[in-house]
Amino acid sequence: MNKKIRTFFLVLLIVTLGSFTSVFAANNTASKYKAFNTTTENNATITLTLFMKDSTINQCNITKDVFNDFLNWYKLRANAKTLVGTYTFNLPADEFSPARKITIFFNNIESFEIVSNNIPTTDRTNTLTLLMENSTIREYSLTQDELTSFNDWYNLRANKKTSQAYFMFNVPADDFSPDRKDYVLFDNIKKFQVQ
């Protein structure tokens, strides 16, 4: 009889914990996964381009809220404040493919950018060339203030005196691309030079 009671309570405990786990997982999933290409009246779509360390490029349209959620995860992961090493987006179905999920691994991201608006082109007399860990070369034309900001940030990060893990470059439009903001992680920069 005693063995049957223990078995009954053990089964009850497993079922109860399983129910709580399912509820928690459902709630966690609902807040974590957000769809690409969703636009609300107050939340315009922006273009996110992810440059991967294997030289592939992932580009998608997401809402500003989704981008902010992704950026928050990126900051936490870059500063070792979360163990979650991936970020997952839900892609809705379109005329070419069914709905699907895409998971991005933090360690595979070389850098990323978003399309921005109205970045001034004046006084960009300094050229900063970054050699990335995966041998990609990135080149930026910067104002003197932007170059000073980059140097200050780089020195602070190298000496562990700032938690800002990445630097955001303002890149004005040219013949090939619109105004944009590039996000470059400190750990992915092998070396740089200024001309």
Side-chain angles (χ1 to χ4, degrees):
M1 179 73 174
N2 198 6
K3 196 173 190 179
K4 287 182 181 180
I5 292 174
R6 273 193 248 153
T7 304
F8 172 76
F9 281 115
L10 183 59
V11 168
L12 181 63
L13 178 64
I14 290 170
V15 169
T16 303
L17 288 175
S19 296
F20 284 126
T21 303
S22 297
V23 168
F24 175 75
N27 289 338
N28 194 23
T29 301
S31 65
K32 181 180 175 187
Y33 297 120
K34 299 182 180 178
F36 284 149
N37 298 325
T38 56
T39 305
T40 63
E41 200 172 294
N42 298 324
N43 200 4
T45 301
I46 60 174
T47 301
L48 170 66
T49 304
L50 295 156
F51 298 94
M52 310 308 285
K53 289 181 179 177
D54 66 359
S55 299
T56 58
I57 298 172
N58 295 308
Q59 190 172 59
C60 50
N61 293 320
I62 57 175
T63 65
K64 190 170 184 178
D65 286 346
V66 173
F67 176 71
N68 289 335
D69 189 51
F70 166 78
L71 188 58
N72 184 51
W73 164 79
Y74 188 82
K75 288 177 190 177
L76 291 171
R77 184 64 182 159
N79 289 307
K81 295 191 176 186
T82 182
L83 296 176
V84 178
T86 61
Y87 190 88
T88 301
F89 297 95
N90 280 341
L91 295 174
D94 60 26
E95 61 185 289
F96 302 109
S97 58
R100 62 202 183 281
K101 292 179 179 159
I102 292 190
T103 300
I104 303 294
F105 289 83
F106 176 84
N107 290 336
N108 293 345
I109 300 172
E110 190 258 342
S111 63
F112 60 93
E113 68 184 28
I114 60 169
V115 173
S116 189
N117 290 320
N118 304 323
I119 294 174
T121 59
T122 57
D123 301 325
R124 294 185 171 277
T125 56
N126 301 288
T127 301
L128 173 68
T129 304
L130 304 176
L131 176 62
M132 308 303 285
E133 285 292 334
N134 67 348
S135 299
T136 301
I137 296 174
R138 298 188 149 279
E139 193 170 273
Y140 298 99
S141 295
L142 305 177
T143 65
Q144 187 57 48
D145 288 344
E146 288 172 330
L147 180 60
T148 300
S149 294
F150 172 80
N151 281 326
D152 291 347
W153 164 79
Y154 190 89
N155 290 329
L156 288 170
R157 187 66 183 182
N159 292 304
K160 300 184 185 331
K161 293 187 178 180
T162 183
S163 62
Q164 184 65 30
Y166 61 86
F167 191 82
M168 184 187 67
F169 293 96
N170 290 312
V171 182
D174 58 23
D175 293 339
F176 305 105
S177 62
D179 290 336
R180 66 186 198 274
K181 295 181 182 292
D182 282 11
Y183 295 77
V184 179
L185 188 67
F186 175 85
D187 292 343
N188 288 343
I189 300 171
K190 189 173 185 179
K191 63 182 178 178
F192 69 90
Q193 68 178 27
V194 179
Q195 297 173 329

